[in-house]
Coordinates of all heavy atoms in Angstrom, one line a residue:
K1 N -10.1 149.3 154.4 CA -10.8 148.0 154.5 C -10.3 147.0 153.5 O -10.4 145.8 153.7 CB -12.3 148.3 154.3 CG -13.0 149.0 155.4 CD -14.4 149.2 155.2 CE -15.0 149.9 156.4 NZ -16.5 149.9 156.3
R2 N -9.9 147.5 152.3 CA -9.4 146.6 151.3 C -8.1 145.9 151.7 O -7.8 144.8 151.1 CB -9.3 147.3 150.0 CG -10.6 147.7 149.4 CD -10.4 148.3 148.0 NE -9.9 149.7 148.2 CZ -9.6 150.5 147.3 NH1 -9.7 150.1 146.0 NH2 -9.2 151.7 147.5
I3 N -7.4 146.5 152.6 CA -6.1 145.9 153.0 C -6.2 144.7 153.9 O -5.3 143.9 154.0 CB -5.2 147.0 153.6 CG1 -3.7 146.5 153.6 CG2 -5.6 147.3 155.0 CD1 -2.7 147.6 154.0
G4 N -7.4 144.5 154.5 CA -7.6 143.4 155.4 C -7.7 143.9 156.9 O -8.0 145.0 157.1
N5 N -7.4 142.9 157.8 CA -7.5 143.2 159.2 C -6.1 143.4 159.8 O -5.4 142.5 160.1 CB -8.2 142.0 159.9 CG -8.3 142.3 161.4 OD1 -8.3 143.4 161.8 ND2 -8.4 141.2 162.1
V6 N -5.7 144.7 159.9 CA -4.4 145.0 160.5 C -4.6 145.1 162.0 O -5.3 146.0 162.5 CB -3.8 146.3 159.9 CG1 -2.5 146.7 160.6 CG2 -3.7 146.3 158.4
E7 N -4.0 144.2 162.7 CA -4.2 144.2 164.2 C -3.2 145.2 164.8 O -3.5 145.9 165.7 CB -4.0 142.8 164.8 CG -5.0 141.8 164.3 CD -4.7 140.4 164.8 OE1 -3.8 140.2 165.6 OE2 -5.4 139.5 164.2
T8 N -1.9 145.2 164.3 CA -0.8 146.0 164.8 C 0.1 146.4 163.7 O 0.3 145.6 162.8 CB 0.0 145.2 165.9 OG1 -0.9 144.7 166.9 CG2 1.0 146.0 166.5
A9 N 0.6 147.6 163.8 CA 1.6 148.0 162.8 C 2.7 148.8 163.5 O 2.4 149.6 164.3 CB 0.9 148.9 161.7
Y10 N 3.9 148.5 163.1 CA 5.1 149.2 163.6 C 6.0 149.8 162.5 O 6.1 149.2 161.5 CB 6.0 148.2 164.4 CG 5.5 147.8 165.7 CD1 4.9 146.5 165.9 CD2 5.7 148.6 166.9 CE1 4.5 146.1 167.1 CE2 5.2 148.1 168.1 CZ 4.6 146.9 168.2 OH 4.2 146.5 169.4
I11 N 6.6 150.9 162.8 CA 7.7 151.4 161.9 C 8.9 150.9 162.7 O 9.1 151.1 163.9 CB 7.7 152.9 161.8 CG1 6.5 153.3 160.9 CG2 9.0 153.4 161.1 CD1 6.4 154.8 160.7
V12 N 9.8 150.3 161.9 CA 11.1 149.8 162.5 C 12.2 150.3 161.6 O 12.0 151.0 160.6 CB 11.1 148.2 162.5 CG1 10.0 147.6 163.3 CG2 11.0 147.6 161.1
G13 N 13.4 150.0 162.0 CA 14.6 150.4 161.3 C 15.0 151.9 161.4 O 14.8 152.5 162.5
D14 N 15.5 152.4 160.4 CA 16.1 153.8 160.4 C 15.0 154.8 160.8 O 15.3 155.7 161.7 CB 16.6 154.2 159.0 CG 17.9 153.5 158.7 OD1 18.5 152.9 159.6 OD2 18.4 153.6 157.5
Y15 N 13.8 154.8 160.2 CA 12.8 155.8 160.6 C 12.4 155.7 162.0 O 12.2 156.7 162.7 CB 11.6 155.6 159.7 CG 11.5 156.7 158.6 CD1 12.4 156.6 157.5 CD2 10.6 157.7 158.6 CE1 12.4 157.6 156.5 CE2 10.6 158.6 157.6 CZ 11.5 158.6 156.6 OH 11.5 159.5 155.6
A16 N 12.4 154.5 162.6 CA 12.0 154.4 164.0 C 13.1 155.0 164.9 O 12.9 155.4 166.0 CB 11.8 152.9 164.4
R17 N 14.4 155.0 164.4 CA 15.5 155.6 165.1 C 15.7 157.1 164.8 O 16.7 157.7 165.2 CB 16.7 154.8 164.9 CG 16.7 153.4 165.5 CD 18.0 152.7 165.4 NE 18.5 152.5 164.1 CZ 18.2 151.5 163.2 NH1 17.4 150.6 163.6 NH2 18.7 151.5 162.0
G18 N 14.8 157.7 163.9 CA 14.9 159.1 163.6 C 15.9 159.4 162.5 O 16.3 160.5 162.3
I19 N 16.2 158.4 161.7 CA 17.2 158.6 160.6 C 16.4 158.5 159.3 O 15.7 157.5 159.0 CB 18.2 157.4 160.6 CG1 19.0 157.5 161.9 CG2 19.2 157.6 159.4 CD1 19.9 156.3 162.1
D20 N 16.5 159.6 158.5 CA 15.8 159.6 157.2 C 16.7 159.1 156.1 O 17.5 159.8 155.4 CB 15.4 161.0 156.8 CG 14.6 161.1 155.6 OD1 14.3 160.1 154.9 OD2 14.2 162.2 155.2
S21 N 16.7 157.8 155.9 CA 17.6 157.1 154.9 C 16.9 156.9 153.6 O 17.5 156.4 152.6 CB 18.0 155.7 155.5 OG 16.9 154.9 155.6
G22 N 15.6 157.3 153.5 CA 14.9 157.1 152.3 C 14.1 155.8 152.2 O 13.5 155.5 151.3
L23 N 14.3 155.0 153.3 CA 13.7 153.7 153.4 C 12.8 153.6 154.6 O 13.3 153.9 155.7 CB 14.8 152.6 153.4 CG 14.3 151.2 153.5 CD1 13.5 150.8 152.3 CD2 15.6 150.3 153.6
I24 N 11.5 153.3 154.5 CA 10.6 153.1 155.6 C 10.3 151.6 155.7 O 9.7 151.1 154.8 CB 9.3 154.0 155.4 CG1 9.7 155.4 155.2 CG2 8.4 153.8 156.5 CD1 8.5 156.3 154.8
D25 N 10.6 151.0 156.8 CA 10.3 149.6 157.1 C 9.1 149.5 158.0 O 9.1 150.1 159.1 CB 11.5 148.9 157.7 CG 12.7 148.7 156.8 OD1 12.4 148.3 155.6 OD2 13.8 149.0 157.1
I26 N 8.1 148.8 157.6 CA 6.9 148.6 158.4 C 6.6 147.1 158.6 O 6.8 146.3 157.7 CB 5.7 149.2 157.6 CG1 5.9 150.7 157.4 CG2 4.4 149.0 158.4 CD1 4.8 151.4 156.6
V27 N 6.3 146.8 159.8 CA 5.9 145.4 160.2 C 4.4 145.4 160.5 O 4.0 146.3 161.3 CB 6.7 144.9 161.4 CG1 6.2 143.5 161.8 CG2 8.2 144.9 161.1
L28 N 3.7 144.5 159.9 CA 2.2 144.5 160.1 C 1.9 143.1 160.6 O 2.4 142.1 160.2 CB 1.5 144.6 158.7 CG 1.7 146.0 158.0 CD1 1.3 145.9 156.6 CD2 1.0 147.1 158.8
I29 N 1.0 143.1 161.6 CA 0.5 141.8 162.2 C -1.0 141.8 161.9 O -1.8 142.8 162.2 CB 0.7 141.7 163.7 CG1 2.2 141.7 163.9 CG2 0.1 140.5 164.3 CD1 2.8 142.9 164.4
G30 N -1.5 140.7 161.3 CA -2.9 140.5 161.0 C -3.1 139.7 159.7 O -2.2 139.2 159.1
K31 N -4.3 139.7 159.3 CA -4.7 139.0 158.0 C -4.7 140.1 156.9 O -5.7 140.9 156.9 CB -6.0 138.3 158.1 CG -6.0 137.2 159.2 CD -7.1 136.2 158.9 CE -7.1 135.1 160.0 NZ -6.0 134.2 159.9
I32 N -3.7 140.1 156.1 CA -3.5 141.2 155.2 C -3.6 140.7 153.7 O -3.1 139.7 153.3 CB -2.1 141.8 155.4 CG1 -1.8 142.1 156.8 CG2 -1.8 143.0 154.5 CD1 -2.6 143.1 157.5
N33 N -4.3 141.6 152.9 CA -4.3 141.4 151.5 C -3.0 141.9 150.9 O -2.9 143.1 150.7 CB -5.6 142.1 150.9 CG -5.7 142.0 149.4 OD1 -4.7 141.8 148.7 ND2 -6.9 142.2 148.9
N34 N -2.1 141.0 150.5 CA -0.8 141.4 150.1 C -0.8 142.2 148.8 O 0.0 143.1 148.7 CB 0.1 140.2 150.0 CG 0.7 139.8 151.3 OD1 1.1 140.6 152.1 ND2 0.7 138.5 151.6
S35 N -1.7 141.9 147.9 CA -1.7 142.6 146.6 C -2.1 144.1 146.9 O -1.6 145.0 146.3 CB -2.5 141.9 145.6 OG -3.9 141.9 146.0
E36 N -3.1 144.3 147.7 CA -3.5 145.6 148.1 C -2.4 146.4 148.9 O -2.2 147.5 148.6 CB -4.8 145.6 148.9 CG -5.4 146.9 149.2 CD -5.9 147.7 147.9 OE1 -6.1 147.1 146.9 OE2 -6.1 148.9 148.1
L37 N -1.8 145.7 149.8 CA -0.7 146.2 150.5 C 0.4 146.7 149.6 O 1.0 147.8 149.8 CB -0.2 145.3 151.6 CG 1.0 145.7 152.4 CD1 0.7 147.0 153.2 CD2 1.5 144.6 153.3
N38 N 0.8 145.9 148.6 CA 1.8 146.2 147.7 C 1.4 147.5 146.9 O 2.3 148.4 146.7 CB 2.1 145.1 146.7 CG 2.8 143.9 147.3 OD1 3.5 144.1 148.3 ND2 2.6 142.7 146.8
R39 N 0.2 147.6 146.5 CA -0.3 148.7 145.7 C -0.2 150.0 146.6 O 0.3 151.0 146.1 CB -1.7 148.5 145.2 CG -2.3 149.5 144.3 CD -3.8 149.4 144.0 NE -4.6 149.6 145.2 CZ -4.9 150.8 145.7 NH1 -4.4 151.9 145.2 NH2 -5.6 150.9 146.8
I40 N -0.7 149.9 147.8 CA -0.7 151.1 148.7 C 0.7 151.5 149.0 O 1.1 152.7 149.0 CB -1.5 150.8 150.0 CG1 -3.0 150.6 149.7 CG2 -1.2 151.8 151.0 CD1 -3.8 150.1 150.8
A41 N 1.6 150.5 149.3 CA 3.0 150.9 149.7 C 3.7 151.5 148.5 O 4.4 152.5 148.7 CB 3.8 149.6 150.1
E42 N 3.5 151.1 147.3 CA 4.1 151.7 146.1 C 3.6 153.1 145.9 O 4.4 154.0 145.7 CB 3.9 150.8 144.9 CG 4.6 151.4 143.7 CD 4.5 150.4 142.5 OE1 4.3 149.2 142.7 OE2 4.6 151.0 141.4
R43 N 2.3 153.3 146.0 CA 1.7 154.6 145.8 C 2.1 155.6 146.8 O 2.5 156.7 146.5 CB 0.2 154.4 145.8 CG -0.5 155.8 145.6 CD -2.0 155.6 145.9 NE -2.9 156.0 144.9 CZ -4.1 155.7 144.9 NH1 -4.6 155.0 145.9 NH2 -4.9 156.1 144.0
R44 N 2.0 155.2 148.1 CA 2.4 156.1 149.2 C 3.9 156.4 149.2 O 4.4 157.5 149.5 CB 2.0 155.6 150.6 CG 0.5 155.5 150.7 CD -0.1 156.9 150.6 NE -1.6 156.7 150.4 CZ -2.3 157.3 149.5 NH1 -1.7 158.0 148.6 NH2 -3.6 157.1 149.4
G45 N 4.7 155.4 148.8 CA 6.2 155.6 148.7 C 6.5 156.7 147.7 O 7.3 157.5 147.9
K46 N 5.8 156.6 146.5 CA 6.0 157.7 145.5 C 5.6 159.0 146.0 O 6.2 160.0 145.8 CB 5.2 157.3 144.2 CG 5.8 156.2 143.5 CD 5.0 155.9 142.2 CE 5.7 154.7 141.5 NZ 4.9 154.2 140.3
D47 N 4.4 159.1 146.8 CA 3.9 160.3 147.3 C 5.0 160.9 148.3 O 5.1 162.1 148.4 CB 2.6 160.1 148.1 CG 1.4 159.8 147.2 OD1 1.5 160.0 146.0 OD2 0.4 159.3 147.8
L48 N 5.7 160.1 149.0 CA 6.6 160.5 150.0 C 8.1 160.6 149.5 O 9.0 161.0 150.3 CB 6.6 159.6 151.2 CG 5.3 159.4 152.0 CD1 5.3 158.3 153.0 CD2 5.0 160.8 152.7
S49 N 8.3 160.1 148.3 CA 9.6 160.0 147.7 C 10.5 159.1 148.6 O 11.7 159.4 148.9 CB 10.3 161.4 147.5 OG 9.5 162.2 146.6
R50 N 9.9 158.0 149.1 CA 10.6 157.1 149.9 C 10.3 155.7 149.4 O 9.2 155.5 148.8 CB 10.2 157.2 151.4 CG 10.4 158.5 152.0 CD 11.9 158.8 152.2 NE 12.1 160.1 152.9 CZ 12.2 161.3 152.3 NH1 12.0 161.4 151.0 NH2 12.5 162.4 153.0
K51 N 11.1 154.7 149.7 CA 10.8 153.3 149.5 C 10.2 152.8 150.7 O 10.7 152.9 151.8 CB 12.1 152.6 149.1 CG 12.0 151.1 149.1 CD 11.4 150.6 147.8 CE 11.5 149.1 147.8 NZ 10.5 148.5 147.0
I52 N 9.0 152.1 150.6 CA 8.4 151.5 151.7 C 8.5 150.0 151.6 O 8.0 149.4 150.6 CB 6.9 151.9 151.8 CG1 6.8 153.4 152.0 CG2 6.2 151.2 152.9 CD1 5.3 154.0 152.0
R53 N 9.2 149.4 152.6 CA 9.2 148.0 152.6 C 8.3 147.5 153.8 O 8.3 148.1 154.8 CB 10.7 147.5 153.0 CG 11.6 147.7 151.9 CD 12.9 147.0 152.1 NE 13.5 147.3 153.4 CZ 14.7 147.0 153.8 NH1 15.5 146.3 153.0 NH2 15.2 147.4 155.0
H54 N 7.6 146.4 153.5 CA 6.7 145.9 154.5 C 6.9 144.4 154.7 O 7.4 143.7 153.8 CB 5.3 146.2 154.1 CG 4.9 145.8 152.7 ND1 4.6 144.5 152.4 CD2 4.9 146.5 151.6 CE1 4.4 144.4 151.1 NE2 4.5 145.6 150.6
L55 N 6.6 144.0 156.0 CA 6.7 142.6 156.3 C 5.5 142.3 157.1 O 5.1 143.0 158.0 CB 8.0 142.4 157.3 CG 8.2 141.0 157.9 CD1 8.4 140.0 156.8 CD2 9.3 141.1 158.9
V56 N 4.8 141.2 156.7 CA 3.6 140.8 157.3 C 3.9 139.5 158.1 O 4.4 138.6 157.5 CB 2.4 140.5 156.3 CG1 1.2 140.0 157.0 CG2 2.1 141.8 155.5
V57 N 3.6 139.5 159.4 CA 3.9 138.4 160.2 C 2.8 138.1 161.2 O 1.9 138.9 161.4 CB 5.2 138.6 161.1 CG1 6.4 138.7 160.2 CG2 5.1 139.8 161.9
T58 N 2.8 136.9 161.8 CA 1.9 136.6 162.9 C 2.4 137.2 164.2 O 3.6 137.6 164.2 CB 1.7 135.1 163.0 OG1 2.9 134.5 163.5 CG2 1.2 134.4 161.7
E59 N 1.6 137.2 165.2 CA 2.1 137.7 166.5 C 3.2 136.8 167.0 O 4.2 137.4 167.5 CB 0.9 137.7 167.5 CG 1.3 138.4 168.8 CD 0.1 138.6 169.7 OE1 -1.0 138.7 169.2 OE2 0.4 138.8 170.9
Q60 N 3.2 135.5 166.8 CA 4.2 134.6 167.2 C 5.5 134.9 166.4 O 6.6 135.0 167.0 CB 3.8 133.1 167.1 CG 4.9 132.2 167.6 CD 5.3 132.4 169.0 OE1 4.4 132.4 169.9 NE2 6.6 132.6 169.3
E61 N 5.4 135.1 165.1 CA 6.6 135.4 164.3 C 7.2 136.7 164.7 O 8.4 136.8 164.8 CB 6.2 135.4 162.8 CG 5.9 134.1 162.2 CD 5.3 134.2 160.9 OE1 4.6 135.1 160.5 OE2 5.5 133.2 160.1
C62 N 6.4 137.7 165.1 CA 6.8 138.9 165.6 C 7.7 138.8 166.8 O 8.8 139.3 166.9 CB 5.6 139.9 165.8 SG 6.1 141.5 166.3
C63 N 7.2 138.0 167.7 CA 8.0 137.7 169.0 C 9.3 136.9 168.6 O 10.3 137.2 169.2 CB 7.1 136.9 169.9 SG 5.8 137.8 170.6
D64 N 9.2 136.0 167.7 CA 10.4 135.2 167.3 C 11.5 136.1 166.7 O 12.7 135.9 166.8 CB 10.0 134.1 166.4 CG 9.2 133.0 167.0 OD1 9.1 133.0 168.3 OD2 8.6 132.2 166.3
L65 N 11.0 137.1 166.0 CA 11.9 138.0 165.2 C 12.2 139.3 166.0 O 12.8 140.3 165.4 CB 11.3 138.4 163.9 CG 11.2 137.2 162.9 CD1 10.4 137.6 161.7 CD2 12.6 136.7 162.5
W66 N 11.8 139.4 167.3 CA 11.9 140.6 168.1 C 13.2 141.3 167.9 O 13.3 142.5 167.6 CB 11.6 140.2 169.5 CG 11.3 141.4 170.4 CD1 12.2 142.2 171.0 CD2 10.1 142.0 170.6 NE1 11.6 143.2 171.7 CE2 10.3 143.1 171.5 CE3 8.8 141.7 170.2 CZ2 9.2 143.9 171.9 CZ3 7.7 142.5 170.7 CH2 8.0 143.6 171.5
H67 N 14.3 140.6 168.2 CA 15.6 141.2 168.2 C 16.1 141.6 166.8 O 16.7 142.7 166.6 CB 16.7 140.4 168.9 CG 16.4 140.2 170.4 ND1 16.5 141.3 171.2 CD2 16.0 139.1 171.1 CE1 16.1 140.9 172.4 NE2 15.8 139.6 172.4
Q68 N 15.8 140.7 165.8 CA 16.2 141.0 164.4 C 15.5 142.3 163.9 O 16.1 143.1 163.1 CB 15.9 139.9 163.5 CG 16.8 138.7 163.7 CD 16.2 137.7 164.7 OE1 15.4 138.1 165.6 NE2 16.5 136.4 164.6
L69 N 14.3 142.5 164.3 CA 13.5 143.6 163.9 C 13.7 144.8 164.8 O 13.2 145.9 164.5 CB 12.0 143.3 163.8 CG 11.6 142.2 162.8 CD1 10.1 141.9 163.0 CD2 11.8 142.7 161.4
D70 N 14.5 144.7 165.8 CA 14.8 145.7 166.8 C 13.5 146.4 167.3 O 13.3 147.6 167.3 CB 15.7 146.8 166.2 CG 16.3 147.7 167.2 OD1 16.3 147.3 168.4 OD2 16.7 148.8 166.8
L71 N 12.5 145.5 167.7 CA 11.2 146.0 168.1 C 11.3 146.8 169.5 O 10.3 147.5 169.8 CB 10.2 144.9 168.2 CG 9.8 144.4 166.8 CD1 9.0 143.1 166.9 CD2 9.0 145.5 166.1
N72 N 12.4 146.7 170.2 CA 12.5 147.5 171.4 C 12.6 149.0 171.0 O 12.3 149.9 171.8 CB 13.7 147.2 172.2 CG 13.5 145.8 172.9 OD1 12.5 145.5 173.3 ND2 14.6 145.1 173.0
N73 N 13.0 149.3 169.8 CA 13.1 150.7 169.3 C 12.0 151.0 168.2 O 12.1 152.0 167.5 CB 14.5 151.0 168.7 CG 15.5 150.9 169.8 OD1 15.4 151.5 170.9 ND2 16.5 150.1 169.6
A74 N 11.0 150.1 168.1 CA 10.0 150.3 167.0 C 9.0 151.4 167.5 O 8.8 151.7 168.7 CB 9.3 149.0 166.8
L75 N 8.3 152.0 166.5 CA 7.2 152.9 166.7 C 5.9 152.3 166.4 O 5.7 151.9 165.3 CB 7.4 154.2 165.9 CG 8.7 155.0 166.1 CD1 8.8 156.1 165.0 CD2 8.7 155.6 167.5
L76 N 5.1 152.1 167.4 CA 3.7 151.6 167.2 C 2.9 152.7 166.5 O 2.8 153.8 166.9 CB 3.1 151.3 168.5 CG 1.6 150.7 168.5 CD1 1.6 149.4 167.8 CD2 1.1 150.7 169.9
I77 N 2.4 152.3 165.3 CA 1.6 153.3 164.5 C 0.1 152.9 164.4 O -0.7 153.6 163.9 CB 2.2 153.6 163.2 CG1 2.3 152.3 162.3 CG2 3.5 154.3 163.3 CD1 2.7 152.5 160.9
W78 N -0.2 151.6 164.8 CA -1.6 151.2 164.7 C -1.8 150.0 165.7 O -1.0 149.1 165.8 CB -1.9 150.7 163.3 CG -3.3 150.2 163.1 CD1 -3.8 149.0 163.2 CD2 -4.5 151.0 162.9 NE1 -5.1 148.9 163.0 CE2 -5.6 150.2 162.8 CE3 -4.7 152.4 162.7 CZ2 -6.9 150.7 162.5 CZ3 -5.9 152.9 162.5 CH2 -7.0 152.0 162.4
G79 N -2.9 150.0 166.4 CA -3.4 148.8 167.1 C -2.7 148.7 168.5 O -2.2 149.6 169.1
K80 N -2.8 147.4 168.9 CA -2.3 147.1 170.3 C -0.9 146.7 170.2 O -0.4 146.0 169.3 CB -3.1 146.0 170.9 CG -3.1 144.7 170.1 CD -3.9 143.6 170.8 CE -3.8 142.3 170.0 NZ -2.6 141.6 170.1
P81 N -0.1 147.1 171.2 CA 1.3 146.7 171.2 C 1.5 145.2 171.4 O 0.7 144.6 172.1 CB 2.0 147.5 172.3 CG 0.8 147.9 173.2 CD -0.4 148.0 172.3
I82 N 2.5 144.6 170.8 CA 2.8 143.2 171.0 C 3.7 143.1 172.2 O 4.7 143.9 172.4 CB 3.6 142.6 169.8 CG1 2.7 142.8 168.5 CG2 4.0 141.2 170.0 CD1 1.4 142.0 168.5
V83 N 3.4 142.2 173.1 CA 4.2 141.9 174.3 C 5.0 140.7 174.1 O 4.4 139.6 173.8 CB 3.3 141.8 175.5 CG1 4.1 141.5 176.8 CG2 2.4 143.0 175.7
K84 N 6.3 140.8 174.1 CA 7.2 139.7 173.9 C 7.0 138.7 175.0 O 7.1 139.1 176.2 CB 8.6 140.1 173.8 CG 9.5 138.9 173.4 CD 10.9 139.3 173.1 CE 11.7 138.1 172.7 NZ 12.9 138.0 173.4
K85 N 6.7 137.4 174.7 CA 6.5 136.4 175.7 C 7.7 135.7 176.1 O 8.6 135.5 175.4 CB 5.4 135.4 175.2 CG 4.1 136.1 174.9 CD 3.2 135.2 174.1 CE 2.0 136.0 173.8 NZ 1.3 135.6 172.6

């Protein structure tokens, strides 16, 4: 609850492709408390011995960045899938 309203969350990048590079990239859509997100990402990253990078975007930004984020190969981990318009 402290993180805010996460509508959708995806894992992208290496982890989404099944590669354990030590880096977990997450894309979040919603109204997010960035300071709380930073705290959680740092803590969970230490728990997992991985670096967690996160990007918070709007649904429109997600669609605009579709190819750069390789969302065709992303793993939906929370919420409703984004449909590219």
